PDB file of all heavy atoms in Angstrom:
ATOM      1  N   GLU A 348      18.923  16.137  20.960  1.00  0.00           N
ATOM      2  CA  GLU A 348      18.501  16.942  19.817  1.00  0.00           C
ATOM      3  C   GLU A 348      19.087  16.321  18.558  1.00  0.00           C
ATOM      4  O   GLU A 348      20.278  16.016  18.496  1.00  0.00           O
ATOM      5  CB  GLU A 348      18.990  18.384  19.961  1.00  0.00           C
ATOM      6  CG  GLU A 348      18.335  19.149  21.098  1.00  0.00           C
ATOM      7  CD  GLU A 348      18.746  20.607  21.117  1.00  0.00           C
ATOM      8  OE1 GLU A 348      19.455  21.027  20.165  1.00  0.00           O
ATOM      9  OE2 GLU A 348      18.382  21.311  22.066  1.00  0.00           O
ATOM     10  N   ILE A 349      18.242  16.114  17.560  1.00  0.00           N
ATOM     11  CA  ILE A 349      18.722  15.531  16.316  1.00  0.00           C
ATOM     12  C   ILE A 349      18.518  16.521  15.180  1.00  0.00           C
ATOM     13  O   ILE A 349      17.566  17.313  15.183  1.00  0.00           O
ATOM     14  CB  ILE A 349      18.031  14.194  15.997  1.00  0.00           C
ATOM     15  CG1 ILE A 349      16.512  14.373  15.792  1.00  0.00           C
ATOM     16  CG2 ILE A 349      18.305  13.173  17.093  1.00  0.00           C
ATOM     17  CD1 ILE A 349      15.823  13.107  15.342  1.00  0.00           C
ATOM     18  N   ASN A 350      19.438  16.480  14.259  1.00  0.00           N
ATOM     19  CA  ASN A 350      19.393  17.336  13.075  1.00  0.00           C
ATOM     20  C   ASN A 350      19.598  16.440  11.874  1.00  0.00           C
ATOM     21  O   ASN A 350      20.706  16.288  11.360  1.00  0.00           O
ATOM     22  CB  ASN A 350      20.477  18.415  13.155  1.00  0.00           C
ATOM     23  CG  ASN A 350      20.435  19.359  11.968  1.00  0.00           C
ATOM     24  OD1 ASN A 350      19.393  19.495  11.322  1.00  0.00           O
ATOM     25  ND2 ASN A 350      21.556  19.983  11.658  1.00  0.00           N
ATOM     26  N   PHE A 351      18.483  15.814  11.462  1.00  0.00           N
ATOM     27  CA  PHE A 351      18.589  14.760  10.465  1.00  0.00           C
ATOM     28  C   PHE A 351      17.692  15.081   9.281  1.00  0.00           C
ATOM     29  O   PHE A 351      16.544  15.491   9.452  1.00  0.00           O
ATOM     30  CB  PHE A 351      18.179  13.410  11.086  1.00  0.00           C
ATOM     31  CG  PHE A 351      18.736  12.227  10.364  1.00  0.00           C
ATOM     32  CD1 PHE A 351      19.992  11.746  10.672  1.00  0.00           C
ATOM     33  CD2 PHE A 351      18.012  11.615   9.362  1.00  0.00           C
ATOM     34  CE1 PHE A 351      20.514  10.659   9.996  1.00  0.00           C
ATOM     35  CE2 PHE A 351      18.522  10.535   8.684  1.00  0.00           C
ATOM     36  CZ  PHE A 351      19.780  10.050   9.003  1.00  0.00           C
ATOM     37  N   SER A 368      25.889   9.357  11.674  1.00  0.00           N
ATOM     38  CA  SER A 368      24.953  10.255  12.343  1.00  0.00           C
ATOM     39  C   SER A 368      25.616  11.599  12.628  1.00  0.00           C
ATOM     40  O   SER A 368      26.747  11.642  13.120  1.00  0.00           O
ATOM     41  CB  SER A 368      24.458   9.643  13.648  1.00  0.00           C
ATOM     42  OG  SER A 368      23.769  10.616  14.420  1.00  0.00           O
ATOM     43  N   PRO A 369      24.915  12.705  12.366  1.00  0.00           N
ATOM     44  CA  PRO A 369      25.472  14.025  12.681  1.00  0.00           C
ATOM     45  C   PRO A 369      25.196  14.459  14.120  1.00  0.00           C
ATOM     46  O   PRO A 369      25.593  15.559  14.513  1.00  0.00           O
ATOM     47  CB  PRO A 369      24.730  14.929  11.705  1.00  0.00           C
ATOM     48  CG  PRO A 369      23.392  14.293  11.538  1.00  0.00           C
ATOM     49  CD  PRO A 369      23.632  12.808  11.641  1.00  0.00           C
ATOM     50  N   ASP A 370      24.514  13.610  14.905  1.00  0.00           N
ATOM     51  CA  ASP A 370      24.048  14.020  16.221  1.00  0.00           C
ATOM     52  C   ASP A 370      24.896  13.402  17.342  1.00  0.00           C
ATOM     53  O   ASP A 370      25.533  12.364  17.169  1.00  0.00           O
ATOM     54  CB  ASP A 370      22.586  13.603  16.415  1.00  0.00           C
ATOM     55  CG  ASP A 370      21.698  14.149  15.323  1.00  0.00           C
ATOM     56  OD1 ASP A 370      21.818  15.346  15.007  1.00  0.00           O
ATOM     57  OD2 ASP A 370      20.894  13.374  14.774  1.00  0.00           O
ATOM     58  N   THR A 371      24.843  14.060  18.509  1.00  0.00           N
ATOM     59  CA  THR A 371      25.519  13.557  19.702  1.00  0.00           C
ATOM     60  C   THR A 371      24.484  12.913  20.615  1.00  0.00           C
ATOM     61  O   THR A 371      23.500  13.542  21.008  1.00  0.00           O
ATOM     62  CB  THR A 371      26.225  14.702  20.451  1.00  0.00           C
ATOM     63  OG1 THR A 371      27.195  15.304  19.579  1.00  0.00           O
ATOM     64  CG2 THR A 371      26.906  14.183  21.692  1.00  0.00           C
ATOM     65  N   ALA A 372      24.703  11.635  20.947  1.00  0.00           N
ATOM     66  CA  ALA A 372      23.771  10.904  21.799  1.00  0.00           C
ATOM     67  C   ALA A 372      24.512   9.735  22.438  1.00  0.00           C
ATOM     68  O   ALA A 372      25.649   9.422  22.078  1.00  0.00           O
ATOM     69  CB  ALA A 372      22.574  10.414  20.986  1.00  0.00           C
ATOM     70  N   GLY A 374      23.397   6.581  22.296  1.00  0.00           N
ATOM     71  CA  GLY A 374      23.249   5.398  21.459  1.00  0.00           C
ATOM     72  C   GLY A 374      22.462   5.701  20.206  1.00  0.00           C
ATOM     73  O   GLY A 374      21.790   6.744  20.104  1.00  0.00           O
ATOM     74  N   TYR A 375      22.546   4.769  19.248  1.00  0.00           N
ATOM     75  CA  TYR A 375      21.916   4.983  17.947  1.00  0.00           C
ATOM     76  C   TYR A 375      21.323   3.665  17.457  1.00  0.00           C
ATOM     77  O   TYR A 375      21.826   2.577  17.760  1.00  0.00           O
ATOM     78  CB  TYR A 375      22.932   5.483  16.912  1.00  0.00           C
ATOM     79  CG  TYR A 375      23.727   6.695  17.362  1.00  0.00           C
ATOM     80  CD1 TYR A 375      24.905   6.539  18.088  1.00  0.00           C
ATOM     81  CD2 TYR A 375      23.298   7.978  17.063  1.00  0.00           C
ATOM     82  CE1 TYR A 375      25.640   7.636  18.513  1.00  0.00           C
ATOM     83  CE2 TYR A 375      24.024   9.087  17.479  1.00  0.00           C
ATOM     84  CZ  TYR A 375      25.189   8.907  18.209  1.00  0.00           C
ATOM     85  OH  TYR A 375      25.908   9.997  18.626  1.00  0.00           O
ATOM     86  N   ARG A 376      20.268   3.775  16.676  1.00  0.00           N
ATOM     87  CA  ARG A 376      19.700   2.620  15.986  1.00  0.00           C
ATOM     88  C   ARG A 376      19.224   3.065  14.604  1.00  0.00           C
ATOM     89  O   ARG A 376      18.696   4.175  14.442  1.00  0.00           O
ATOM     90  CB  ARG A 376      18.531   2.008  16.761  1.00  0.00           C
ATOM     91  CG  ARG A 376      18.920   1.424  18.122  1.00  0.00           C
ATOM     92  CD  ARG A 376      17.746   0.683  18.742  1.00  0.00           C
ATOM     93  NE  ARG A 376      18.056   0.223  20.090  1.00  0.00           N
ATOM     94  CZ  ARG A 376      17.718   0.872  21.195  1.00  0.00           C
ATOM     95  NH1 ARG A 376      17.042   2.021  21.094  1.00  0.00           N
ATOM     96  NH2 ARG A 376      18.030   0.407  22.379  1.00  0.00           N
ATOM     97  N   TRP A 377      19.386   2.180  13.640  1.00  0.00           N
ATOM     98  CA  TRP A 377      18.944   2.430  12.268  1.00  0.00           C
ATOM     99  C   TRP A 377      18.069   1.258  11.839  1.00  0.00           C
ATOM    100  O   TRP A 377      18.437   0.101  12.029  1.00  0.00           O
ATOM    101  CB  TRP A 377      20.125   2.555  11.319  1.00  0.00           C
ATOM    102  CG  TRP A 377      21.177   3.544  11.734  1.00  0.00           C
ATOM    103  CD1 TRP A 377      22.173   3.349  12.639  1.00  0.00           C
ATOM    104  CD2 TRP A 377      21.320   4.878  11.245  1.00  0.00           C
ATOM    105  NE1 TRP A 377      22.952   4.481  12.755  1.00  0.00           N
ATOM    106  CE2 TRP A 377      22.441   5.449  11.895  1.00  0.00           C
ATOM    107  CE3 TRP A 377      20.634   5.658  10.321  1.00  0.00           C
ATOM    108  CZ2 TRP A 377      22.878   6.738  11.649  1.00  0.00           C
ATOM    109  CZ3 TRP A 377      21.064   6.952  10.074  1.00  0.00           C
ATOM    110  CH2 TRP A 377      22.177   7.487  10.740  1.00  0.00           C
ATOM    111  N   TYR A 378      16.910   1.571  11.263  1.00  0.00           N
ATOM    112  CA  TYR A 378      15.970   0.535  10.846  1.00  0.00           C
ATOM    113  C   TYR A 378      15.622   0.730   9.370  1.00  0.00           C
ATOM    114  O   TYR A 378      15.439   1.866   8.902  1.00  0.00           O
ATOM    115  CB  TYR A 378      14.669   0.608  11.648  1.00  0.00           C
ATOM    116  CG  TYR A 378      14.836   0.436  13.135  1.00  0.00           C
ATOM    117  CD1 TYR A 378      15.107   1.523  13.966  1.00  0.00           C
ATOM    118  CD2 TYR A 378      14.712  -0.820  13.726  1.00  0.00           C
ATOM    119  CE1 TYR A 378      15.251   1.368  15.342  1.00  0.00           C
ATOM    120  CE2 TYR A 378      14.849  -0.984  15.109  1.00  0.00           C
ATOM    121  CZ  TYR A 378      15.127   0.114  15.899  1.00  0.00           C
ATOM    122  OH  TYR A 378      15.265  -0.042  17.246  1.00  0.00           O
ATOM    123  N   THR A 392      25.023   1.399  15.838  1.00  0.00           N
ATOM    124  CA  THR A 392      26.124   2.318  16.102  1.00  0.00           C
ATOM    125  C   THR A 392      25.839   3.632  15.384  1.00  0.00           C
ATOM    126  O   THR A 392      24.817   3.767  14.701  1.00  0.00           O
ATOM    127  CB  THR A 392      27.467   1.739  15.600  1.00  0.00           C
ATOM    128  OG1 THR A 392      27.463   1.708  14.158  1.00  0.00           O
ATOM    129  CG2 THR A 392      27.699   0.337  16.139  1.00  0.00           C
ATOM    130  N   ALA A 393      26.769   4.579  15.496  1.00  0.00           N
ATOM    131  CA  ALA A 393      26.588   5.875  14.825  1.00  0.00           C
ATOM    132  C   ALA A 393      26.722   5.755  13.321  1.00  0.00           C
ATOM    133  O   ALA A 393      26.291   6.650  12.583  1.00  0.00           O
ATOM    134  CB  ALA A 393      27.589   6.890  15.360  1.00  0.00           C
ATOM    135  N   TYR A 403      13.631   4.406   5.720  1.00  0.00           N
ATOM    136  CA  TYR A 403      14.386   4.038   6.908  1.00  0.00           C
ATOM    137  C   TYR A 403      13.906   4.876   8.093  1.00  0.00           C
ATOM    138  O   TYR A 403      13.227   5.897   7.924  1.00  0.00           O
ATOM    139  CB  TYR A 403      15.889   4.268   6.705  1.00  0.00           C
ATOM    140  CG  TYR A 403      16.498   3.431   5.600  1.00  0.00           C
ATOM    141  CD1 TYR A 403      16.461   3.854   4.268  1.00  0.00           C
ATOM    142  CD2 TYR A 403      17.121   2.218   5.885  1.00  0.00           C
ATOM    143  CE1 TYR A 403      17.017   3.083   3.256  1.00  0.00           C
ATOM    144  CE2 TYR A 403      17.694   1.456   4.878  1.00  0.00           C
ATOM    145  CZ  TYR A 403      17.637   1.886   3.567  1.00  0.00           C
ATOM    146  OH  TYR A 403      18.198   1.128   2.574  1.00  0.00           O
ATOM    147  N   ARG A 404      14.288   4.415   9.296  1.00  0.00           N
ATOM    148  CA  ARG A 404      14.054   5.217  10.501  1.00  0.00           C
ATOM    149  C   ARG A 404      15.341   5.284  11.307  1.00  0.00           C
ATOM    150  O   ARG A 404      16.004   4.271  11.526  1.00  0.00           O
ATOM    151  CB  ARG A 404      12.930   4.638  11.366  1.00  0.00           C
ATOM    152  CG  ARG A 404      12.600   5.525  12.578  1.00  0.00           C
ATOM    153  CD  ARG A 404      11.354   5.052  13.301  1.00  0.00           C
ATOM    154  NE  ARG A 404      11.553   3.790  13.986  1.00  0.00           N
ATOM    155  CZ  ARG A 404      12.064   3.665  15.208  1.00  0.00           C
ATOM    156  NH1 ARG A 404      12.444   4.748  15.894  1.00  0.00           N
ATOM    157  NH2 ARG A 404      12.198   2.483  15.753  1.00  0.00           N
ATOM    158  N   TYR A 405      15.658   6.506  11.721  1.00  0.00           N
ATOM    159  CA  TYR A 405      16.858   6.764  12.520  1.00  0.00           C
ATOM    160  C   TYR A 405      16.422   7.103  13.938  1.00  0.00           C
ATOM    161  O   TYR A 405      15.461   7.838  14.143  1.00  0.00           O
ATOM    162  CB  TYR A 405      17.629   7.921  11.894  1.00  0.00           C
ATOM    163  CG  TYR A 405      18.616   8.627  12.794  1.00  0.00           C
ATOM    164  CD1 TYR A 405      19.809   8.023  13.171  1.00  0.00           C
ATOM    165  CD2 TYR A 405      18.345   9.920  13.263  1.00  0.00           C
ATOM    166  CE1 TYR A 405      20.714   8.695  13.989  1.00  0.00           C
ATOM    167  CE2 TYR A 405      19.243  10.593  14.067  1.00  0.00           C
ATOM    168  CZ  TYR A 405      20.427   9.971  14.440  1.00  0.00           C
ATOM    169  OH  TYR A 405      21.330  10.634  15.236  1.00  0.00           O
ATOM    170  N   GLU A 406      17.129   6.531  14.919  1.00  0.00           N
ATOM    171  CA  GLU A 406      16.807   6.796  16.310  1.00  0.00           C
ATOM    172  C   GLU A 406      18.099   7.074  17.081  1.00  0.00           C
ATOM    173  O   GLU A 406      19.056   6.298  16.999  1.00  0.00           O
ATOM    174  CB  GLU A 406      16.088   5.598  16.915  1.00  0.00           C
ATOM    175  CG  GLU A 406      15.657   5.778  18.359  1.00  0.00           C
ATOM    176  CD  GLU A 406      14.951   4.549  18.888  1.00  0.00           C
ATOM    177  OE1 GLU A 406      15.642   3.644  19.402  1.00  0.00           O
ATOM    178  OE2 GLU A 406      13.709   4.487  18.778  1.00  0.00           O
ATOM    179  N   ALA A 407      18.120   8.188  17.788  1.00  0.00           N
ATOM    180  CA  ALA A 407      19.214   8.498  18.707  1.00  0.00           C
ATOM    181  C   ALA A 407      18.618   8.600  20.105  1.00  0.00           C
ATOM    182  O   ALA A 407      17.515   9.129  20.276  1.00  0.00           O
ATOM    183  CB  ALA A 407      19.889   9.812  18.320  1.00  0.00           C
ATOM    184  N   SER A 421      14.978  10.115  20.380  1.00  0.00           N
ATOM    185  CA  SER A 421      14.458  11.024  19.354  1.00  0.00           C
ATOM    186  C   SER A 421      14.575  10.280  18.030  1.00  0.00           C
ATOM    187  O   SER A 421      15.558   9.567  17.790  1.00  0.00           O
ATOM    188  CB  SER A 421      15.261  12.327  19.303  1.00  0.00           C
ATOM    189  OG  SER A 421      15.152  13.034  20.519  1.00  0.00           O
ATOM    190  N   SER A 422      13.567  10.439  17.171  1.00  0.00           N
ATOM    191  CA  SER A 422      13.492   9.589  15.988  1.00  0.00           C
ATOM    192  C   SER A 422      13.155  10.401  14.749  1.00  0.00           C
ATOM    193  O   SER A 422      12.534  11.467  14.841  1.00  0.00           O
ATOM    194  CB  SER A 422      12.438   8.492  16.205  1.00  0.00           C
ATOM    195  OG  SER A 422      12.387   7.608  15.122  1.00  0.00           O
ATOM    196  N   GLN A 423      13.565   9.893  13.598  1.00  0.00           N
ATOM    197  CA  GLN A 423      13.285  10.554  12.325  1.00  0.00           C
ATOM    198  C   GLN A 423      13.122   9.477  11.240  1.00  0.00           C
ATOM    199  O   GLN A 423      14.012   8.652  11.043  1.00  0.00           O
ATOM    200  CB  GLN A 423      14.428  11.491  11.933  1.00  0.00           C
ATOM    201  CG  GLN A 423      14.377  12.033  10.505  1.00  0.00           C
ATOM    202  CD  GLN A 423      13.310  13.090  10.333  1.00  0.00           C
ATOM    203  OE1 GLN A 423      13.188  13.984  11.151  1.00  0.00           O
ATOM    204  NE2 GLN A 423      12.542  12.999   9.265  1.00  0.00           N
ATOM    205  N   VAL A 424      11.965   9.465  10.574  1.00  0.00           N
ATOM    206  CA  VAL A 424      11.779   8.618   9.402  1.00  0.00           C
ATOM    207  C   VAL A 424      12.301   9.373   8.185  1.00  0.00           C
ATOM    208  O   VAL A 424      12.042  10.573   8.031  1.00  0.00           O
ATOM    209  CB  VAL A 424      10.296   8.245   9.220  1.00  0.00           C
ATOM    210  CG1 VAL A 424      10.085   7.481   7.924  1.00  0.00           C
ATOM    211  CG2 VAL A 424       9.811   7.422  10.412  1.00  0.00           C
ATOM    212  N   PHE A 425      13.046   8.696   7.330  1.00  0.00           N
ATOM    213  CA  PHE A 425      13.639   9.365   6.167  1.00  0.00           C
ATOM    214  C   PHE A 425      13.696   8.393   4.995  1.00  0.00           C
ATOM    215  O   PHE A 425      13.449   7.188   5.148  1.00  0.00           O
ATOM    216  CB  PHE A 425      15.040   9.888   6.510  1.00  0.00           C
ATOM    217  CG  PHE A 425      16.040   8.814   6.844  1.00  0.00           C
ATOM    218  CD1 PHE A 425      16.932   8.341   5.891  1.00  0.00           C
ATOM    219  CD2 PHE A 425      16.106   8.275   8.125  1.00  0.00           C
ATOM    220  CE1 PHE A 425      17.843   7.344   6.192  1.00  0.00           C
ATOM    221  CE2 PHE A 425      17.019   7.286   8.446  1.00  0.00           C
ATOM    222  CZ  PHE A 425      17.894   6.811   7.482  1.00  0.00           C
TER     223      PHE A 425
END
Side-chain angles (χ1 to χ4, degrees):
E348 293 186 6
I349 63 174
N350 182 23
F351 202 86
S368 168
D370 304 313
T371 300
Y375 308 87
R376 296 187 185 97
W377 308 81
Y378 300 88
T392 69
Y403 298 85
R404 184 171 69 85
Y405 160 72
E406 182 180 88
S421 297
S422 183
Q423 169 74 46
V424 174
F425 64 98

